[in-house]
Amino acid sequence: MNEIIVIGGGAAGFFAAINIAEQHPQANVTILEKAKQGLQKVKISGGGRCNVTHAEFIPQELVNNYPRGKKELLGPFHQFMTGDTIAWFESRGVALKIEDDGRMFPESNTSQTIIDCFLNEANKFGVNINYSCGVKSVKKEGSTWCIDTNAGVFTADKLVVATGSSVKIWEILKTLNHTIVKPVPSLFTFNVKDARITNIPGVVAQNVTVKVVNTNLESHGPLLVTHVGFSAPAILKLSAFGAVELAQMDYKFQIEINFIQQDFNGCLSSLKNLKQTLAKKTVFKFSQFDMPKRLWQQLVLAANIGDGTTWADLNKHQLEALAAQLTKAIFNVNGKSTFKEEFVTAGGVDLKEVNFKTFESKYHKNLYFAGEVLNIDAVTGGFNFQNAWTSAFIVAKNIM
């Protein structure tokens, strides 16, 4: 009988183990998990609802959500894609629903549904699960893998590493001559202290452009003012695609925000028209450009326009100052905060060292990788889980 060991009892590990056991009944499949229970990231994902995947069904479009892994995942997504994920869960009694922003969750609205599904499937196909089983070393003796743990030594014909962002396992993989790209945080919010946003947490500007000054980093989308700074997709995309660059800056940099999707000159022209058409109205009281009222008021004050000033009273300097606040407002970022419970890391096994047709190591036969142990990460919205399902399924398909 083939002995197959999966290191890591998270999303990718369970998905790999279940699919290996189902597709290859002659194999004896064992999960080694260092914690007292598995699937903890699944449990807290999506605010406890588990953001299983994202309703994007074209591989060429799906890969655009991966700052690292975009090129490598195109082929794998043609093998196992979002639709396959949906079908896999639905065939096991777990119906998924699509929310307005494209995120997909179990209809039950609880991650426990996904956990129960995995535990039931693992039991059904005879997967052995060893909790509190931390790996200390991995060696290859002939064609056999020897895994030393705090619960004894395990041996395997084939080994799957699905440990996510585990520094300890990355160190072990270095002893097997694999290169580890230095890990840095990938999904995070920006810490900003600024009088313009101090008193307006909870305000959302729907369609903004955010640039990191003196870089090519730029993103579009909703922007949320929080108690500590900025969040929402416009910021999270920047944090993901700029993960390495922003880490090199020690998370101290400037951003330029365009709140209204007009350039400075176009905005100035619009403001001059408003000066004519709204002459007797107070600038402060009536928000323009579909902006949230509280944000508009803060930007008006920042342009040195008093709360009683009418449009007719605005001088050239005030019009220009307001146009600048609306189209190229500069904010100083000083640090980052974790986005909800999403612990996503850029870094991991160098992608050049993996065969993406099978997810097997190019250096060691019968060593496979699944999920975030590789230098692959995505923006928020279920994309990191889709990488886990795809890589794990392809490992299961090719391991025998």
Side-chain angles (χ1 to χ4, degrees):
M1 179 176 278
N2 270 290
E3 291 288 338
I4 298 177
I5 284 180
V6 178
I7 304 177
F14 262 88
F15 205 72
I18 291 163
N19 283 289
I20 292 167
E22 181 180 15
Q23 294 176 35
H24 312 288
Q26 71 277 30
N28 186 43
V29 183
T30 301
I31 293 174
L32 307 182
E33 167 55 46
K34 68 177 181 180
K36 292 179 181 176
Q37 52 188 325
L39 300 165
Q40 289 307 290
K41 196 167 180 181
V42 170
K43 189 177 183 69
I44 62 173
S45 155
R49 296 194 296 146
C50 189
N51 187 183
V52 175
T53 186
H54 200 96
E56 173 53 74
F57 299 97
I58 302 169
Q60 289 85 347
E61 295 296 326
L62 183 60
V63 294
N64 290 329
N65 296 286
Y66 297 83
R68 283 146 292 273
K70 175 180 177 178
K71 175 167 65 82
E72 291 79 6
L73 286 174
L74 184 57
F77 282 154
H78 277 94
Q79 288 193 57
F80 191 88
M81 184 61 178
T82 311
D84 302 300
T85 299
I86 296 166
W88 192 95
F89 281 104
E90 289 193 341
S91 70
R92 289 155 178 83
V94 179
L96 303 180
K97 61 176 180 175
I98 303 173
E99 303 213 329
D100 290 343
D101 59 4
R103 293 181 302 160
M104 298 193 69
F105 295 89
E107 283 187 352
S108 64
N109 266 336
T110 172
S111 56
Q112 195 60 45
T113 302
I114 304 299
I115 293 170
D116 291 344
C117 171
F118 283 167
L119 294 175
N120 290 338
E121 291 294 299
N123 181 57
K124 176 180 172 183
F125 294 108
V127 175
N128 309 299
I129 307 171
N130 292 273
Y131 295 118
S132 301
C133 189
V135 173
K136 296 194 280 189
S137 69
V138 175
K139 294 185 176 68
K140 199 171 188 184
E141 297 181 1
S143 61
T144 301
W145 290 101
C146 297
I147 302 100
D148 186 20
T149 77
N150 57 1
V153 177
F154 293 79
T155 58
D157 302 298
K158 298 168 192 292
L159 182 63
V160 182
V161 181
T163 46
S165 303
S166 168
V167 174
K168 185 171 184 181
I169 298 299
W170 281 333
E171 289 301 317
I172 289 172
L173 290 172
K174 283 182 184 177
T175 69
L176 298 173
N177 298 318
H178 270 291
T179 306
I180 303 300
V181 177
K182 183 182 175 183
V184 294
S186 175
L187 274 184
F188 50 86
T189 60
F190 292 178
N191 295 352
V192 176
K193 283 187 177 177
D194 191 289
R196 288 168 289 182
I197 62 170
T198 300
N199 297 316
I200 58 169
V203 165
V204 178
Q206 284 298 343
N207 189 20
V208 306
T209 300
V210 185
K211 298 178 182 177
V212 178
V213 176
N214 296 324
T215 74
N216 292 320
L217 296 170
E218 178 179 319
S219 72
H220 312 273
L223 178 80
L224 169 68
V225 178
T226 72
H227 288 284
V228 294
F230 291 123
S231 184
I235 297 300
L236 296 170
K237 278 187 244 174
L238 270 189
S239 76
F241 282 90
V244 174
E245 210 167 336
L246 300 181
Q248 290 167 348
M249 297 177 184
D250 196 27
Y251 308 105
K252 294 179 176 65
F253 51 91
Q254 289 186 317
I255 53 174
E256 179 185 296
I257 302 179
N258 185 328
F259 290 103
I260 64 168
Q261 297 302 307
Q262 289 187 25
D263 64 13
F264 175 83
N265 289 328
C267 176
L268 188 58
S269 177
S270 298
L271 293 176
K272 287 175 179 175
N273 287 336
L274 290 170
K275 180 177 163 70
Q276 301 299 320
T277 57
L278 302 177
K280 294 182 180 178
K281 289 194 181 292
T282 308
V283 180
F284 181 82
K285 278 187 182 177
F286 302 100
S287 163
Q288 304 299 320
F289 306 103
D290 293 323
M291 283 191 71
K293 185 175 181 181
R294 290 195 293 158
L295 177 59
W296 167 264
Q297 290 177 338
Q298 292 303 316
L299 298 182
V300 167
L301 295 176
N304 292 315
I305 299 169
D307 57 10
T309 306
T310 64
W311 282 94
D313 292 334
L314 291 183
N315 61 38
K316 176 174 177 278
H317 296 300
Q318 288 172 315
L319 286 168
E320 290 175 349
L322 183 54
Q325 289 292 336
L326 293 169
T327 63
K328 49 183 183 180
I330 300 292
F331 292 87
N332 294 312
V333 177
N334 187 13
K336 60 177 177 56
S337 296
T338 302
F339 173 63
K340 297 182 180 177
E341 300 90 1
E342 303 274 359
F343 298 102
V344 176
T345 303
V349 176
D350 193 318
L351 304 185
K352 294 192 292 289
E353 301 172 359
V354 179
N355 176 354
F356 279 91
K357 289 180 178 167
T358 60
F359 284 82
E360 186 175 20
S361 164
K362 288 182 179 177
Y363 295 165
H364 299 280
K365 187 168 173 55
N366 296 325
L367 171 62
Y368 296 82
F369 302 105
E372 287 180 47
V373 69
L374 296 167
N375 182 27
I376 293 175
D377 62 287
V379 299
T380 186
F383 301 105
N384 283 298
F385 275 141
Q386 185 57 52
N387 167 47
W389 315 140
T390 294
S391 54
F393 190 88
I394 292 174
V395 166
K397 183 176 158 188
N398 290 281
I399 200 164
M400 300 292 279

